[in-house]
Amino acid sequence: MEKRELHYINTYAEYIDQFIKLLIDYSPKLISALFILIIGLYAIRLINRLVRKIMFRRGLDATLSVFLADSLLWTMRFLLFVTFISKLGIETSSFVAILGAIGLAVGLSLQGSLSNFAGGVLIILFKPFKVGDAIEAQGVAGTVCEIQIFVTKLVTGNNQTIFVPNGILSNGVITNFSLGKNRRANLLFNISYDTNIKTAKEIVMQVLENNPNVLKTPAPTVVVNLLTDAAIQLAIRPWSKNDDYGDMCSDVLEECKEAFDAAGIIIQPFVKESSKN
């Protein structure tokens, strides 16, 4: 019994001695790895702040600045982690291979999200529109209130919020109404064939001259747009500033209607022509 206990004690003492020896042998690697980790984290934080300040001073887009800074931050953290475990003596080749396989699997399962991500980067880089612009794309129209990495948020005229995926947005047709300072309307009126065209055009021009939101330059125009079976179609094309466009269109339509009524000009309804076989 005493021999067995003595054997256990000797075995336990050997384990303790081996652990202490291993700790002494391994402590330089551990200390150096911890030193690299602490200094690396501090350096990454310093570099990230410096990069953000440089991008801010150069007036880079805020969304793009955040995206680039965060991407750089996580890239540096990953490289620091690989350096840390390598310094500890852990083999990194198999670890990197596993991460690569995981990354490939995640990429295949998130193809749609990656497409939206790439679209967001393209929108931020090439800037077909910016926050505050009025645009029409993918069958919806509204004011851009936020450009995110995966989606763009639009607010419509009736205060509905629409999220458009950046993938299809960057690959489709985008109409930006805010790039130019001025915008031209194309308003249509159908008037009776009994109407004197010259008189009708003079009435419309008088309305346009009296409207404060209609610009003098470029000058507005009134032309015969179409001769239908039932009416003469006039196209009224006034210009206004972007901010005044909605009010201008509404006012011109109302004032033209009142002026036509006063002059006895009959406004004909729009009739959809039936298709011919």
Side-chain angles (χ1 to χ4, degrees), residues 126-170:
F126 295 103
K127 297 181 179 179
F129 54 83
K130 62 181 185 299
V131 174
D133 285 356
I135 69 169
E136 182 177 355
Q138 300 300 319
V140 296
T143 301
V144 180
C145 63
E146 189 175 355
I147 303 174
Q148 301 176 3
I149 291 298
F150 294 100
V151 296
T152 293
K153 185 163 70 173
L154 304 178
V155 176
T156 63
N158 56 355
N159 202 31
Q160 291 181 336
T161 301
I162 300 176
F163 295 90
V164 183
N166 287 334
I168 60 173
L169 186 59
S170 62

mmCIF file of all heavy atoms in Angstrom, residues 126-170:
data_model
loop_
_atom_site.group_PDB
_atom_site.id
_atom_site.type_symbol
_atom_site.label_atom_id
_atom_site.label_comp_id
_atom_site.label_asym_id
_atom_site.label_seq_id
_atom_site.Cartn_x
_atom_site.Cartn_y
_atom_site.Cartn_z
ATOM 1 N N PHE A 126 -18.987 55.674 -57.758
ATOM 2 C CA PHE A 126 -19.286 56.440 -58.975
ATOM 3 C C PHE A 126 -20.369 57.497 -58.773
ATOM 4 O O PHE A 126 -20.564 58.351 -59.648
ATOM 5 C CB PHE A 126 -19.679 55.484 -60.102
ATOM 6 C CG PHE A 126 -18.542 54.579 -60.528
ATOM 7 C CD1 PHE A 126 -18.510 53.256 -60.126
ATOM 8 C CD2 PHE A 126 -17.513 55.057 -61.305
ATOM 9 C CE1 PHE A 126 -17.471 52.409 -60.500
ATOM 10 C CE2 PHE A 126 -16.465 54.227 -61.689
ATOM 11 C CZ PHE A 126 -16.439 52.904 -61.293
ATOM 12 N N LYS A 127 -21.117 57.427 -57.686
ATOM 13 C CA LYS A 127 -22.069 58.452 -57.281
ATOM 14 C C LYS A 127 -23.061 58.848 -58.380
ATOM 15 O O LYS A 127 -23.091 60.008 -58.815
ATOM 16 C CB LYS A 127 -21.320 59.694 -56.803
ATOM 17 C CG LYS A 127 -20.472 59.456 -55.581
ATOM 18 C CD LYS A 127 -19.765 60.731 -55.130
ATOM 19 C CE LYS A 127 -18.940 60.478 -53.886
ATOM 20 N NZ LYS A 127 -18.213 61.696 -53.443
ATOM 21 N N PRO A 128 -23.885 57.908 -58.882
ATOM 22 C CA PRO A 128 -24.945 58.326 -59.810
ATOM 23 C C PRO A 128 -26.002 59.174 -59.116
ATOM 24 O O PRO A 128 -26.781 59.864 -59.772
ATOM 25 C CB PRO A 128 -25.522 56.987 -60.290
ATOM 26 C CG PRO A 128 -25.214 56.022 -59.186
ATOM 27 C CD PRO A 128 -23.896 56.459 -58.622
ATOM 28 N N PHE A 129 -26.041 59.112 -57.806
ATOM 29 C CA PHE A 129 -26.909 59.962 -57.002
ATOM 30 C C PHE A 129 -26.301 60.070 -55.613
ATOM 31 O O PHE A 129 -25.406 59.307 -55.249
ATOM 32 C CB PHE A 129 -28.334 59.391 -56.925
ATOM 33 C CG PHE A 129 -28.398 57.968 -56.456
ATOM 34 C CD1 PHE A 129 -28.375 57.652 -55.104
ATOM 35 C CD2 PHE A 129 -28.479 56.923 -57.363
ATOM 36 C CE1 PHE A 129 -28.426 56.342 -54.667
ATOM 37 C CE2 PHE A 129 -28.542 55.604 -56.935
ATOM 38 C CZ PHE A 129 -28.510 55.321 -55.588
ATOM 39 N N LYS A 130 -26.803 61.017 -54.852
ATOM 40 C CA LYS A 130 -26.336 61.213 -53.477
ATOM 41 C C LYS A 130 -27.539 61.427 -52.574
ATOM 42 O O LYS A 130 -28.680 61.565 -53.055
ATOM 43 C CB LYS A 130 -25.366 62.400 -53.388
ATOM 44 C CG LYS A 130 -25.961 63.727 -53.765
ATOM 45 C CD LYS A 130 -24.914 64.832 -53.668
ATOM 46 C CE LYS A 130 -25.509 66.211 -53.931
ATOM 47 N NZ LYS A 130 -26.086 66.339 -55.286
ATOM 48 N N VAL A 131 -27.283 61.459 -51.285
ATOM 49 C CA VAL A 131 -28.365 61.666 -50.322
ATOM 50 C C VAL A 131 -29.006 63.033 -50.581
ATOM 51 O O VAL A 131 -28.325 64.043 -50.726
ATOM 52 C CB VAL A 131 -27.827 61.592 -48.881
ATOM 53 C CG1 VAL A 131 -28.924 61.961 -47.877
ATOM 54 C CG2 VAL A 131 -27.301 60.194 -48.580
ATOM 55 N N GLY A 132 -30.327 63.043 -50.657
ATOM 56 C CA GLY A 132 -31.064 64.268 -50.929
ATOM 57 C C GLY A 132 -31.529 64.400 -52.368
ATOM 58 O O GLY A 132 -32.373 65.251 -52.672
ATOM 59 N N ASP A 133 -31.012 63.560 -53.276
ATOM 60 C CA ASP A 133 -31.420 63.616 -54.679
ATOM 61 C C ASP A 133 -32.778 62.952 -54.873
ATOM 62 O O ASP A 133 -33.114 61.964 -54.208
ATOM 63 C CB ASP A 133 -30.393 62.917 -55.573
ATOM 64 C CG ASP A 133 -29.129 63.743 -55.765
ATOM 65 O OD1 ASP A 133 -29.105 64.894 -55.264
ATOM 66 O OD2 ASP A 133 -28.183 63.253 -56.390
ATOM 67 N N ALA A 134 -33.544 63.481 -55.827
ATOM 68 C CA ALA A 134 -34.806 62.862 -56.233
ATOM 69 C C ALA A 134 -34.526 61.983 -57.439
ATOM 70 O O ALA A 134 -34.041 62.464 -58.466
ATOM 71 C CB ALA A 134 -35.841 63.926 -56.575
ATOM 72 N N ILE A 135 -34.809 60.687 -57.311
ATOM 73 C CA ILE A 135 -34.498 59.747 -58.391
ATOM 74 C C ILE A 135 -35.705 58.867 -58.686
ATOM 75 O O ILE A 135 -36.652 58.786 -57.891
ATOM 76 C CB ILE A 135 -33.290 58.855 -58.035
ATOM 77 C CG1 ILE A 135 -33.649 57.881 -56.904
ATOM 78 C CG2 ILE A 135 -32.068 59.677 -57.688
ATOM 79 C CD1 ILE A 135 -32.605 56.795 -56.668
ATOM 80 N N GLU A 136 -35.631 58.212 -59.851
ATOM 81 C CA GLU A 136 -36.607 57.189 -60.223
ATOM 82 C C GLU A 136 -35.843 55.991 -60.743
ATOM 83 O O GLU A 136 -35.004 56.125 -61.655
ATOM 84 C CB GLU A 136 -37.570 57.707 -61.281
ATOM 85 C CG GLU A 136 -38.637 56.703 -61.682
ATOM 86 C CD GLU A 136 -39.627 57.265 -62.687
ATOM 87 O OE1 GLU A 136 -39.529 58.469 -63.002
ATOM 88 O OE2 GLU A 136 -40.494 56.498 -63.150
ATOM 89 N N ALA A 137 -36.093 54.822 -60.169
ATOM 90 C CA ALA A 137 -35.382 53.613 -60.569
ATOM 91 C C ALA A 137 -36.184 52.397 -60.133
ATOM 92 O O ALA A 137 -36.864 52.425 -59.093
ATOM 93 C CB ALA A 137 -33.987 53.565 -59.944
ATOM 94 N N GLN A 138 -36.097 51.344 -60.934
ATOM 95 C CA GLN A 138 -36.780 50.085 -60.628
ATOM 96 C C GLN A 138 -38.276 50.269 -60.374
ATOM 97 O O GLN A 138 -38.880 49.603 -59.528
ATOM 98 C CB GLN A 138 -36.130 49.403 -59.427
ATOM 99 C CG GLN A 138 -34.669 49.069 -59.609
ATOM 100 C CD GLN A 138 -34.427 48.121 -60.783
ATOM 101 O OE1 GLN A 138 -35.193 47.183 -60.986
ATOM 102 N NE2 GLN A 138 -33.389 48.385 -61.557
ATOM 103 N N GLY A 139 -38.894 51.213 -61.085
ATOM 104 C CA GLY A 139 -40.334 51.418 -60.975
ATOM 105 C C GLY A 139 -40.774 52.223 -59.777
ATOM 106 O O GLY A 139 -41.985 52.349 -59.540
ATOM 107 N N VAL A 140 -39.843 52.762 -59.000
ATOM 108 C CA VAL A 140 -40.205 53.587 -57.845
ATOM 109 C C VAL A 140 -39.495 54.931 -57.941
ATOM 110 O O VAL A 140 -38.427 55.047 -58.547
ATOM 111 C CB VAL A 140 -39.833 52.902 -56.506
ATOM 112 C CG1 VAL A 140 -40.628 51.621 -56.334
ATOM 113 C CG2 VAL A 140 -38.341 52.612 -56.442
ATOM 114 N N ALA A 141 -40.109 55.948 -57.362
ATOM 115 C CA ALA A 141 -39.543 57.289 -57.363
ATOM 116 C C ALA A 141 -39.590 57.845 -55.953
ATOM 117 O O ALA A 141 -40.537 57.595 -55.199
ATOM 118 C CB ALA A 141 -40.300 58.205 -58.317
ATOM 119 N N GLY A 142 -38.560 58.582 -55.576
ATOM 120 C CA GLY A 142 -38.516 59.164 -54.244
ATOM 121 C C GLY A 142 -37.225 59.920 -54.025
ATOM 122 O O GLY A 142 -36.387 60.049 -54.931
ATOM 123 N N THR A 143 -37.067 60.397 -52.816
ATOM 124 C CA THR A 143 -35.868 61.129 -52.422
ATOM 125 C C THR A 143 -34.938 60.203 -51.653
ATOM 126 O O THR A 143 -35.374 59.504 -50.742
ATOM 127 C CB THR A 143 -36.237 62.340 -51.537
ATOM 128 O OG1 THR A 143 -37.125 63.194 -52.263
ATOM 129 C CG2 THR A 143 -34.990 63.128 -51.162
ATOM 130 N N VAL A 144 -33.679 60.195 -52.034
ATOM 131 C CA VAL A 144 -32.694 59.336 -51.374
ATOM 132 C C VAL A 144 -32.407 59.902 -49.986
ATOM 133 O O VAL A 144 -31.958 61.033 -49.845
ATOM 134 C CB VAL A 144 -31.389 59.258 -52.190
ATOM 135 C CG1 VAL A 144 -30.375 58.361 -51.486
ATOM 136 C CG2 VAL A 144 -31.663 58.750 -53.597
ATOM 137 N N CYS A 145 -32.676 59.093 -48.962
ATOM 138 C CA CYS A 145 -32.406 59.559 -47.602
ATOM 139 C C CYS A 145 -31.223 58.826 -46.968
ATOM 140 O O CYS A 145 -30.677 59.295 -45.971
ATOM 141 C CB CYS A 145 -33.646 59.432 -46.715
ATOM 142 S SG CYS A 145 -34.220 57.748 -46.465
ATOM 143 N N GLU A 146 -30.832 57.681 -47.541
ATOM 144 C CA GLU A 146 -29.681 56.954 -46.986
ATOM 145 C C GLU A 146 -29.163 55.949 -48.014
ATOM 146 O O GLU A 146 -29.947 55.259 -48.664
ATOM 147 C CB GLU A 146 -30.078 56.224 -45.699
ATOM 148 C CG GLU A 146 -28.909 55.621 -44.944
ATOM 149 C CD GLU A 146 -29.317 55.008 -43.618
ATOM 150 O OE1 GLU A 146 -30.499 55.145 -43.240
ATOM 151 O OE2 GLU A 146 -28.456 54.384 -42.960
ATOM 152 N N ILE A 147 -27.837 55.909 -48.169
ATOM 153 C CA ILE A 147 -27.194 54.927 -49.040
ATOM 154 C C ILE A 147 -26.406 53.977 -48.148
ATOM 155 O O ILE A 147 -25.381 54.350 -47.583
ATOM 156 C CB ILE A 147 -26.258 55.600 -50.062
ATOM 157 C CG1 ILE A 147 -27.021 56.637 -50.899
ATOM 158 C CG2 ILE A 147 -25.628 54.548 -50.981
ATOM 159 C CD1 ILE A 147 -26.124 57.442 -51.813
ATOM 160 N N GLN A 148 -26.899 52.764 -48.007
ATOM 161 C CA GLN A 148 -26.232 51.759 -47.207
ATOM 162 C C GLN A 148 -25.436 50.825 -48.115
ATOM 163 O O GLN A 148 -25.498 50.929 -49.335
ATOM 164 C CB GLN A 148 -27.258 50.974 -46.387
ATOM 165 C CG GLN A 148 -28.089 51.846 -45.449
ATOM 166 C CD GLN A 148 -29.158 51.064 -44.720
ATOM 167 O OE1 GLN A 148 -29.268 49.850 -44.854
ATOM 168 N NE2 GLN A 148 -29.970 51.759 -43.934
ATOM 169 N N ILE A 149 -24.679 49.930 -47.506
ATOM 170 C CA ILE A 149 -23.848 49.035 -48.302
ATOM 171 C C ILE A 149 -24.697 48.049 -49.101
ATOM 172 O O ILE A 149 -24.376 47.722 -50.249
ATOM 173 C CB ILE A 149 -22.865 48.276 -47.392
ATOM 174 C CG1 ILE A 149 -21.814 49.250 -46.837
ATOM 175 C CG2 ILE A 149 -22.166 47.163 -48.156
ATOM 176 C CD1 ILE A 149 -20.961 49.908 -47.896
ATOM 177 N N PHE A 150 -25.802 47.579 -48.557
ATOM 178 C CA PHE A 150 -26.615 46.572 -49.239
ATOM 179 C C PHE A 150 -27.868 47.150 -49.883
ATOM 180 O O PHE A 150 -28.340 46.597 -50.869
ATOM 181 C CB PHE A 150 -27.015 45.465 -48.255
ATOM 182 C CG PHE A 150 -25.853 44.648 -47.758
ATOM 183 C CD1 PHE A 150 -25.295 44.887 -46.509
ATOM 184 C CD2 PHE A 150 -25.302 43.650 -48.548
ATOM 185 C CE1 PHE A 150 -24.218 44.148 -46.058
ATOM 186 C CE2 PHE A 150 -24.223 42.901 -48.103
ATOM 187 C CZ PHE A 150 -23.683 43.152 -46.857
ATOM 188 N N VAL A 151 -28.435 48.204 -49.344
ATOM 189 C CA VAL A 151 -29.673 48.775 -49.880
ATOM 190 C C VAL A 151 -29.586 50.295 -49.884
ATOM 191 O O VAL A 151 -28.762 50.900 -49.185
ATOM 192 C CB VAL A 151 -30.909 48.340 -49.057
ATOM 193 C CG1 VAL A 151 -31.122 46.846 -49.134
ATOM 194 C CG2 VAL A 151 -30.783 48.799 -47.603
ATOM 195 N N THR A 152 -30.445 50.893 -50.717
ATOM 196 C CA THR A 152 -30.614 52.350 -50.722
ATOM 197 C C THR A 152 -32.032 52.653 -50.266
ATOM 198 O O THR A 152 -32.997 52.056 -50.750
ATOM 199 C CB THR A 152 -30.370 52.915 -52.128
ATOM 200 O OG1 THR A 152 -28.994 52.736 -52.485
ATOM 201 C CG2 THR A 152 -30.701 54.398 -52.181
ATOM 202 N N LYS A 153 -32.155 53.582 -49.330
ATOM 203 C CA LYS A 153 -33.461 53.909 -48.750
ATOM 204 C C LYS A 153 -34.032 55.162 -49.406
ATOM 205 O O LYS A 153 -33.384 56.202 -49.434
ATOM 206 C CB LYS A 153 -33.337 54.094 -47.238
ATOM 207 C CG LYS A 153 -34.672 54.320 -46.541
ATOM 208 C CD LYS A 153 -34.576 54.097 -45.046
ATOM 209 C CE LYS A 153 -33.782 55.163 -44.361
ATOM 210 N NZ LYS A 153 -33.824 55.043 -42.887
ATOM 211 N N LEU A 154 -35.239 55.024 -49.969
ATOM 212 C CA LEU A 154 -35.941 56.128 -50.607
ATOM 213 C C LEU A 154 -37.183 56.475 -49.803
ATOM 214 O O LEU A 154 -37.821 55.599 -49.220
ATOM 215 C CB LEU A 154 -36.356 55.774 -52.036
ATOM 216 C CG LEU A 154 -35.273 55.327 -53.026
ATOM 217 C CD1 LEU A 154 -35.914 54.992 -54.366
ATOM 218 C CD2 LEU A 154 -34.219 56.390 -53.196
ATOM 219 N N VAL A 155 -37.535 57.764 -49.804
ATOM 220 C CA VAL A 155 -38.785 58.218 -49.200
ATOM 221 C C VAL A 155 -39.628 58.834 -50.309
ATOM 222 O O VAL A 155 -39.198 59.765 -50.988
ATOM 223 C CB VAL A 155 -38.537 59.241 -48.078
ATOM 224 C CG1 VAL A 155 -39.864 59.772 -47.547
ATOM 225 C CG2 VAL A 155 -37.741 58.622 -46.944
ATOM 226 N N THR A 156 -40.829 58.282 -50.518
ATOM 227 C CA THR A 156 -41.704 58.756 -51.584
ATOM 228 C C THR A 156 -42.433 60.025 -51.168
ATOM 229 O O THR A 156 -42.357 60.465 -50.014
ATOM 230 C CB THR A 156 -42.725 57.665 -51.951
ATOM 231 O OG1 THR A 156 -43.566 57.413 -50.805
ATOM 232 C CG2 THR A 156 -42.021 56.379 -52.336
ATOM 233 N N GLY A 157 -43.190 60.594 -52.134
ATOM 234 C CA GLY A 157 -43.916 61.825 -51.849
ATOM 235 C C GLY A 157 -44.998 61.657 -50.803
ATOM 236 O O GLY A 157 -45.351 62.632 -50.126
ATOM 237 N N ASN A 158 -45.553 60.437 -50.654
ATOM 238 C CA ASN A 158 -46.566 60.193 -49.615
ATOM 239 C C ASN A 158 -45.960 59.608 -48.352
ATOM 240 O O ASN A 158 -46.639 58.940 -47.579
ATOM 241 C CB ASN A 158 -47.680 59.287 -50.154
ATOM 242 C CG ASN A 158 -47.139 57.979 -50.695
ATOM 243 O OD1 ASN A 158 -45.928 57.780 -50.752
ATOM 244 N ND2 ASN A 158 -48.029 57.081 -51.075
ATOM 245 N N ASN A 159 -44.632 59.821 -48.178
ATOM 246 C CA ASN A 159 -43.906 59.473 -46.952
ATOM 247 C C ASN A 159 -43.810 57.971 -46.714
ATOM 248 O O ASN A 159 -43.759 57.509 -45.577
ATOM 249 C CB ASN A 159 -44.541 60.143 -45.727
ATOM 250 C CG ASN A 159 -43.560 60.270 -44.572
ATOM 251 O OD1 ASN A 159 -42.361 60.419 -44.789
ATOM 252 N ND2 ASN A 159 -44.059 60.201 -43.349
ATOM 253 N N GLN A 160 -43.754 57.203 -47.792
ATOM 254 C CA GLN A 160 -43.488 55.775 -47.675
ATOM 255 C C GLN A 160 -41.988 55.542 -47.847
ATOM 256 O O GLN A 160 -41.340 56.166 -48.688
ATOM 257 C CB GLN A 160 -44.255 54.983 -48.733
ATOM 258 C CG GLN A 160 -45.758 54.960 -48.528
ATOM 259 C CD GLN A 160 -46.462 54.137 -49.584
ATOM 260 O OE1 GLN A 160 -45.950 53.951 -50.679
ATOM 261 N NE2 GLN A 160 -47.644 53.645 -49.262
ATOM 262 N N THR A 161 -41.447 54.643 -47.044
ATOM 263 C CA THR A 161 -40.026 54.324 -47.117
ATOM 264 C C THR A 161 -39.842 53.045 -47.934
ATOM 265 O O THR A 161 -40.454 52.021 -47.635
ATOM 266 C CB THR A 161 -39.430 54.129 -45.711
ATOM 267 O OG1 THR A 161 -39.628 55.332 -44.953
ATOM 268 C CG2 THR A 161 -37.941 53.841 -45.797
ATOM 269 N N ILE A 162 -39.002 53.130 -48.961
ATOM 270 C CA ILE A 162 -38.760 51.997 -49.859
ATOM 271 C C ILE A 162 -37.276 51.657 -49.822
ATOM 272 O O ILE A 162 -36.418 52.536 -49.973
ATOM 273 C CB ILE A 162 -39.190 52.323 -51.300
ATOM 274 C CG1 ILE A 162 -40.682 52.653 -51.347
ATOM 275 C CG2 ILE A 162 -38.871 51.163 -52.241
ATOM 276 C CD1 ILE A 162 -41.163 53.074 -52.713
ATOM 277 N N PHE A 163 -36.966 50.371 -49.623
ATOM 278 C CA PHE A 163 -35.586 49.890 -49.638
ATOM 279 C C PHE A 163 -35.343 49.173 -50.970
ATOM 280 O O PHE A 163 -35.988 48.166 -51.258
ATOM 281 C CB PHE A 163 -35.328 48.943 -48.464
ATOM 282 C CG PHE A 163 -35.424 49.610 -47.121
ATOM 283 C CD1 PHE A 163 -36.636 49.669 -46.436
ATOM 284 C CD2 PHE A 163 -34.306 50.180 -46.538
ATOM 285 C CE1 PHE A 163 -36.727 50.281 -45.208
ATOM 286 C CE2 PHE A 163 -34.386 50.791 -45.297
ATOM 287 C CZ PHE A 163 -35.595 50.850 -44.632
ATOM 288 N N VAL A 164 -34.420 49.703 -51.759
ATOM 289 C CA VAL A 164 -34.108 49.121 -53.063
ATOM 290 C C VAL A 164 -32.753 48.428 -52.960
ATOM 291 O O VAL A 164 -31.754 49.061 -52.587
ATOM 292 C CB VAL A 164 -34.058 50.194 -54.157
ATOM 293 C CG1 VAL A 164 -33.815 49.561 -55.524
ATOM 294 C CG2 VAL A 164 -35.347 51.009 -54.171
ATOM 295 N N PRO A 165 -32.656 47.121 -53.278
ATOM 296 C CA PRO A 165 -31.357 46.428 -53.233
ATOM 297 C C PRO A 165 -30.358 47.084 -54.181
ATOM 298 O O PRO A 165 -30.684 47.430 -55.323
ATOM 299 C CB PRO A 165 -31.707 45.004 -53.676
ATOM 300 C CG PRO A 165 -33.165 44.853 -53.398
ATOM 301 C CD PRO A 165 -33.758 46.203 -53.618
ATOM 302 N N ASN A 166 -29.135 47.266 -53.717
ATOM 303 C CA ASN A 166 -28.131 47.963 -54.516
ATOM 304 C C ASN A 166 -27.686 47.171 -55.741
ATOM 305 O O ASN A 166 -27.199 47.755 -56.710
ATOM 306 C CB ASN A 166 -26.915 48.289 -53.650
ATOM 307 C CG ASN A 166 -27.190 49.408 -52.672
ATOM 308 O OD1 ASN A 166 -28.044 50.251 -52.915
ATOM 309 N ND2 ASN A 166 -26.482 49.419 -51.563
ATOM 310 N N GLY A 167 -27.844 45.839 -55.698
ATOM 311 C CA GLY A 167 -27.430 45.030 -56.836
ATOM 312 C C GLY A 167 -28.209 45.384 -58.091
ATOM 313 O O GLY A 167 -27.631 45.713 -59.135
ATOM 314 N N ILE A 168 -29.540 45.330 -58.022
ATOM 315 C CA ILE A 168 -30.366 45.664 -59.177
ATOM 316 C C ILE A 168 -30.373 47.161 -59.436
ATOM 317 O O ILE A 168 -30.526 47.597 -60.581
ATOM 318 C CB ILE A 168 -31.807 45.143 -58.992
ATOM 319 C CG1 ILE A 168 -32.456 45.764 -57.742
ATOM 320 C CG2 ILE A 168 -31.832 43.640 -58.891
ATOM 321 C CD1 ILE A 168 -33.929 45.421 -57.603
ATOM 322 N N LEU A 169 -30.176 47.958 -58.396
ATOM 323 C CA LEU A 169 -30.168 49.408 -58.574
ATOM 324 C C LEU A 169 -28.964 49.862 -59.385
ATOM 325 O O LEU A 169 -29.073 50.719 -60.264
ATOM 326 C CB LEU A 169 -30.177 50.094 -57.209
ATOM 327 C CG LEU A 169 -30.323 51.623 -57.198
ATOM 328 C CD1 LEU A 169 -31.621 52.036 -57.872
ATOM 329 C CD2 LEU A 169 -30.291 52.145 -55.769
ATOM 330 N N SER A 170 -27.803 49.276 -59.111
ATOM 331 C CA SER A 170 -26.586 49.684 -59.817
ATOM 332 C C SER A 170 -26.554 49.159 -61.251
ATOM 333 O O SER A 170 -25.840 49.700 -62.096
ATOM 334 C CB SER A 170 -25.351 49.178 -59.066
ATOM 335 O OG SER A 170 -25.336 47.757 -59.009
#
